[in-house]
Amino acid sequence: MHHRFRPKALALALLCGAALAPATARAAENYMTVGLPFFDPYRVAIAHIDVRDGKVTGTLAPPAGDPRPPLPLSGTLANGRMRLVIGAGADTYTLDLREGEQDQQQIWSEAAPLPDLDPIALFRPVGGFSETGLALQHLDASWCGQLIGGLAIELKPGALKDTAEPPAPLADLDVVVGPNRGNVVTAKLKDIWSRLRLAVLAADADPVVVDVRVPLGGEAQLARALRALPAVSAVGLPASCGEMALAAVPRERIMDGSVVSEAKLKAYGDQVLPRLLSGAEAGARAPGARRFKLSGVQVARDANGLPYLGATLQGDAEATRLGKGEVDQFALTLMPQVTAADTGETISLVPTVSRLRTAPRRGAQAPDDAAFKPAQDPAATAAVQHRVASWLAANEGLACSFLTQTSFQEPDNALVCANRMLDSVAGEEGAN
């Protein structure tokens, strides 16, 4: 089943930092906008706004990599009201906006919205947008929420009709063509290009959207590059669900500046994993009372050179997945990655659980290794992954995201993965 996200409060320190500054003291800030139709087919544009002595200047641009030039912004700000002018010369549009805050977002919304028109708003999370967040958005307000490992590419019908072979940057992309027994099935775009051309032969054909697989960490860079191609009308995040778990943590916990610190990542694992396995409450400073084993905690790098924390864990199912009467043994990796769900102050840890084995718990002694058998129910692995993501996020007072196609039901007392995607203004219709 799919697990959707619900809002969750950020740490109190972030909330305290959200107080709106006086108009004369504002630093330049990046906002996303909805309701402004200047960069179709994107539903989101990027407004860079600078306020000095009550005067507003800046630009309104499409997502990064789109070749269309930005529009100038100007206006005035006083007493929580912004008069914002888009464009220059005779081709200008004026908005009267009021300042507000909702769901840990700073928002500028229309002072007098018209009921039959799509609302216009500018918004930013309290921690600002990360560079990845500014580069990746969903193409439609209604989406499931996949944030990592994929992109949605909208192809122009005319380009498909007129081009017998795909442009080189598109040819070898892995297009998701369907699931098979829980596994994602892909085909090279060059191998299905002809089939896509057939789909747009009608004179009034709509653009074709394909979802592609992308190596973890490469989503934003590839999106920027593909947006410059003449055959591409838009690139965003997929609307489809997929297997995903991530937990937000403050950047300073595992990073030195803009780089993940292997020493900090190792120290982080040594600190939090024993508390998780021992059954401690998220946020507690002392470990819990349950027995556990933790071995092989080390930082390594994957095939793309990205650092990750790996370890082998053993603990009571009550701590590892809120189960009962069993002991779990599994391999865990935590991959640090700035995702589209991160603000400028956070980074995500993406947990992967593998080789889950279980044994009945009998008395106080840990089961012999021979007693552990591979878990037959895939829901058990999903439950461990959900527990790791939700506990780590709750431990930091931040948010997590969890999507699965496994038939897994959250236990009644489970921590909730509650993250609204950062490309949606609070209350936007259709957002999850």
Side-chain angles (χ1 to χ4, degrees):
M1 65 176 294
H2 303 312
H3 292 262
R4 301 199 173 206
F5 312 146
R6 297 179 292 278
K8 178 178 179 180
L10 294 174
L12 181 60
L14 289 181
L15 290 175
C16 293
L20 299 171
T24 56
R26 291 179 183 274
E29 295 174 333
N30 288 314
Y31 288 82
M32 286 188 187
T33 73
V34 291
L36 295 176
F38 295 105
F39 301 110
D40 185 70
Y42 292 108
R43 51 174 273 275
V44 168
I46 309 300
H48 183 76
I49 292 180
D50 192 4
V51 179
R52 299 180 186 276
D53 298 323
K55 293 185 178 181
V56 176
T57 58
T59 57
L60 181 70
D66 188 289
R68 287 172 286 186
L71 300 173
L73 298 177
S74 59
T76 58
L77 186 152
N79 301 320
R81 297 290 284 267
M82 181 189 297
R83 182 176 176 82
L84 185 65
V85 180
I86 306 171
D91 191 14
T92 60
Y93 304 86
T94 302
L95 299 173
D96 184 16
L97 304 174
R98 62 184 176 188
E99 191 172 31
E101 184 180 347
Q102 182 180 350
D103 193 21
Q104 292 80 55
Q105 285 184 324
Q106 298 174 357
I107 301 173
W108 290 94
S109 57
E110 292 181 272
L114 299 175
D116 295 328
L117 298 179
D118 291 338
I120 294 173
L122 286 67
F123 60 97
R124 65 187 298 273
V126 169
F129 291 104
S130 67
E131 288 300 315
T132 299
L134 290 173
L136 296 176
Q137 303 85 31
H138 288 95
L139 300 182
D140 191 272
S142 178
W143 39 263
C144 175
Q146 189 169 335
L147 308 177
I148 55 175
L151 292 173
I153 303 173
E154 183 174 298
L155 300 168
K156 298 176 182 177
L160 281 168
K161 291 178 183 177
D162 299 339
T163 310
E165 300 291 338
L170 297 176
D172 288 320
L173 294 179
D174 293 316
V175 179
V176 178
V177 294
N180 181 17
R181 296 182 180 179
N183 297 317
V184 176
V185 179
T186 63
K188 296 296 183 184
L189 184 55
K190 61 186 177 185
D191 294 331
I192 63 171
W193 187 260
S194 184
R195 177 64 184 88
L196 298 179
R197 295 181 69 209
L198 285 173
V200 296
L201 286 181
D204 59 347
D206 293 327
V208 171
V209 179
V210 293
D211 289 348
V212 300
R213 297 291 296 270
V214 180
L216 187 66
E219 303 92 344
Q221 181 179 358
L222 183 59
R224 294 186 189 99
L226 294 180
R227 286 178 183 137
L229 298 178
V232 173
S233 54
V235 180
L237 291 166
S240 59
C241 285
E243 298 294 324
M244 182 189 67
L246 57 88
V249 301
R251 288 193 178 203
E252 63 267 20
R253 298 277 273 150
I254 60 173
M255 298 179 72
D256 285 331
S258 61
V259 178
V260 172
S261 165
E262 294 189 12
K264 284 187 175 182
L265 182 58
K266 172 67 162 55
Y268 183 83
D270 288 337
Q271 178 189 20
V272 300
L273 293 180
R275 300 213 310 266
L276 167 63
L277 287 172
S278 64
E281 294 291 328
R285 295 185 178 181
R290 295 187 178 276
R291 295 176 179 269
F292 68 92
K293 292 182 181 179
L294 178 62
S295 60
V297 182
Q298 61 180 341
V299 175
R301 291 185 177 268
D302 70 358
N304 297 314
L306 299 176
Y308 67 89
L309 181 77
T312 299
L313 290 71
Q314 180 176 307
D316 290 346
E318 286 85 347
T320 61
R321 55 185 163 94
L322 300 183
K324 293 182 179 180
E326 293 182 312
V327 178
D328 291 338
Q329 200 179 75
F330 57 94
L332 172 70
T333 64
L334 294 176
M335 173 74 76
Q337 183 60 52
V338 179
T339 76
D342 284 299
T343 72
E345 297 175 342
T346 68
I347 184 171
S348 289
L349 291 175
V350 182
T352 300
V353 173
S354 61
R355 303 195 301 273
L356 175 63
R357 302 195 304 161
T358 65
R361 187 176 63 242
R362 294 187 176 94
Q365 297 298 318
D368 294 334
D369 193 62
F372 286 91
K373 305 298 180 184
Q376 298 300 314
D377 186 356
T381 297
V384 175
Q385 194 154 286
H386 179 271
R387 177 63 175 172
V388 171
S390 62
W391 191 95
L392 290 175
N395 187 60
E396 301 291 350
L398 293 172
C400 61
S401 300
F402 186 77
L403 293 173
T404 183
Q405 296 175 338
T406 303
S407 180
F408 156 70
Q409 296 286 346
E410 295 177 18
D412 291 339
N413 57 343
L415 296 167
V416 176
C417 279
N419 181 65
R420 177 182 39 73
M421 179 57 191
L422 295 183
D423 66 359
S424 298
V425 67
E428 184 183 7
E429 184 178 356
N432 296 302

